[in-house]
């Protein structure tokens, strides 16, 4: 049985192979989160509009993408986008794919958040002379974001974990950085173990922060 040896995993190795991948994973997570929440909120508003010509396309979009494994969506976009917009590269393709895909999950979260706001708040906005757009933007959405913030951040943690799937199109993410280091030093087992620990530490730490935030929001309520 081969003995595990982690002595090669120095700071120089991490900075040379892993740091680049970690930076891309963070950039992809933050960009897809922002784009996904914006698009997801729009989809949620469409589904709650009461107009079938807005509800139906949004529902089809959300239900369709949520029914397909993310890795398949990544591969489809990677293969199809070059025919539509020309070659974009793995990184840009990953950003587009994750934004469009995660928007379906953020939309359901925001839809629940909007529905959690009391109808009395909406009527109060109308009573003050606000129209539908003003009421949603100034009264309903701020409360919905506050109510759903812990859930939105939890979904973002899942998004960070899912960024490891970009290996399917060759993008250089955090997991890819560990994989390259393992191949260079012929220590794949050790690097994958360290990668698992790094993912756990990052995601567990973020989960603890979200839990603290959830407690603070509960106190405010």
């Amino acid at each position: 049985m081969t003995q595990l040896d982690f002595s090669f995993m120095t700071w120089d190795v991490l900075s040379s192979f892993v740091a680049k991948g970690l930076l891309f994973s963070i950039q992809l997570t933050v960009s897809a989160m922002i784009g996904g929440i914006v698009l997801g909120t729009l989809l949620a508003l469409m589904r709650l509009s009461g107009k079938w010509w807005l509800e139906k396309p949004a529902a089809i979009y959300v239900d369709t993408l949520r029914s397909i494994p993310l890795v398949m969506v990544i591969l489809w976009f990677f293969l199809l986008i070059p025919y539509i917009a020309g070659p974009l590269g793995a990184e840009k393709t990953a950003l587009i794919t994750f934004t469009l895909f995660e928007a379906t999950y953020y939309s359901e979260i925001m839809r629940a958040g909007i529905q959690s706001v009391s109808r009395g708040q909406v009527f109060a906005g109308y009573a003050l002379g606000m129209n539908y757009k003003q009421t949603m933007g100034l009264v309903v959405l701020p409360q919905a974001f506050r109510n759903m913030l812990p859930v939105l951040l939890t979904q973002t943690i899942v998004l960070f974990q899912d960024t490891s799937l970009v290996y399917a199109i060759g993008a250089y993410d955090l997991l890819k950085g560990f994989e390259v280091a393992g191949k260079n030093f012929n220590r794949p087992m050790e690097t994958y173990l360290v990668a698992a620990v790094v993912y756990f530490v990052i995601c567990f730490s973020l989960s603890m922060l979200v839990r603290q935030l959830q407690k603070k929001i509960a106190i405010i309520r």
Side-chain angles (χ1 to χ4, degrees), residues 47-102:
R47 297 193 71 175
L48 295 172
S49 66
K51 301 175 182 178
W52 68 267
W53 49 275
L54 289 175
E55 287 181 30
K56 210 67 176 176
I60 292 173
Y61 176 84
V62 171
D63 293 339
T64 299
L65 282 189
R66 281 168 61 94
S67 301
I68 304 173
L70 175 55
V71 67
M72 291 184 63
V73 178
I74 293 172
L75 288 171
W76 285 353
F77 273 84
F78 183 68
L79 295 174
L80 292 176
I81 285 180
Y83 289 100
I84 301 172
L88 295 177
E91 285 75 15
K92 289 183 179 179
T93 300
L95 175 58
I96 294 172
T97 304
F98 272 85
T99 299
L100 296 178
F101 185 85
E102 292 298 325

Side-chain angles (χ1 to χ4, degrees), residues 140-172:
V140 178
L141 286 180
Q143 294 184 67
F145 273 112
R146 188 195 66 185
N147 294 343
M148 293 294 105
L149 186 57
V151 186
L152 290 170
L153 294 178
T154 299
Q155 179 60 35
T156 302
I157 295 173
V158 176
L159 165 59
F160 174 75
Q161 296 170 343
D162 287 344
T163 58
S164 61
L165 294 176
V166 297
Y167 78 89
I169 57 176
Y172 199 103

Side-chain angles (χ1 to χ4, degrees), residues 23-211:
L23 180 61
F24 174 71
S25 291
I26 293 174
Q27 290 175 335
L28 178 58
T29 300
V30 174
S31 299
M33 176 193 69
I34 296 172
I37 290 177
V38 172
L39 179 57
T41 301
L42 177 61
L43 290 169
L45 292 173
M46 290 172 65
R47 297 193 71 175
L48 295 172
S49 66
K51 301 175 182 178
W52 68 267
W53 49 275
L54 289 175
E55 287 181 30
K56 210 67 176 176
I60 292 173
Y61 176 84
V62 171
D63 293 339
T64 299
L65 282 189
R66 281 168 61 94
S67 301
I68 304 173
L70 175 55
V71 67
M72 291 184 63
V73 178
I74 293 172
L75 288 171
W76 285 353
F77 273 84
F78 183 68
L79 295 174
L80 292 176
I81 285 180
Y83 289 100
I84 301 172
L88 295 177
E91 285 75 15
K92 289 183 179 179
T93 300
L95 175 58
I96 294 172
T97 304
F98 272 85
T99 299
L100 296 178
F101 185 85
E102 292 298 325
T104 62
Y105 287 89
Y106 286 122
S107 73
E108 292 299 277
I109 295 171
M110 286 307 304
R111 186 157 69 107
I114 293 171
Q115 290 176 326
S116 72
V117 178
S118 170
R119 291 292 296 174
Q121 298 287 321
V122 178
F123 296 143
Y126 290 150
L128 292 173
M130 296 182 184
N131 56 31
Y132 175 79
K133 186 176 181 180
Q134 291 171 326
T135 302
M136 291 301 297
L138 299 175
V139 179
V140 178
L141 286 180
Q143 294 184 67
F145 273 112
R146 188 195 66 185
N147 294 343
M148 293 294 105
L149 186 57
V151 186
L152 290 170
L153 294 178
T154 299
Q155 179 60 35
T156 302
I157 295 173
V158 176
L159 165 59
F160 174 75
Q161 296 170 343
D162 287 344
T163 58
S164 61
L165 294 176
V166 297
Y167 78 89
I169 57 176
Y172 199 103
D173 69 315
L174 177 59
L175 185 59
K176 183 70 173 181
F178 278 108
E179 180 186 355
V180 172
K183 288 180 178 179
N184 274 269
F185 291 90
N186 197 28
R187 289 289 178 179
M189 180 70 73
E190 288 87 340
T191 50
Y192 280 125
L193 286 173
V194 174
V197 172
V198 170
Y199 273 102
F200 173 80
V201 169
I202 293 174
C203 295
F204 182 78
S205 300
L206 292 175
S207 296
M208 291 299 100
L209 290 175
V210 171
R211 184 174 298 180

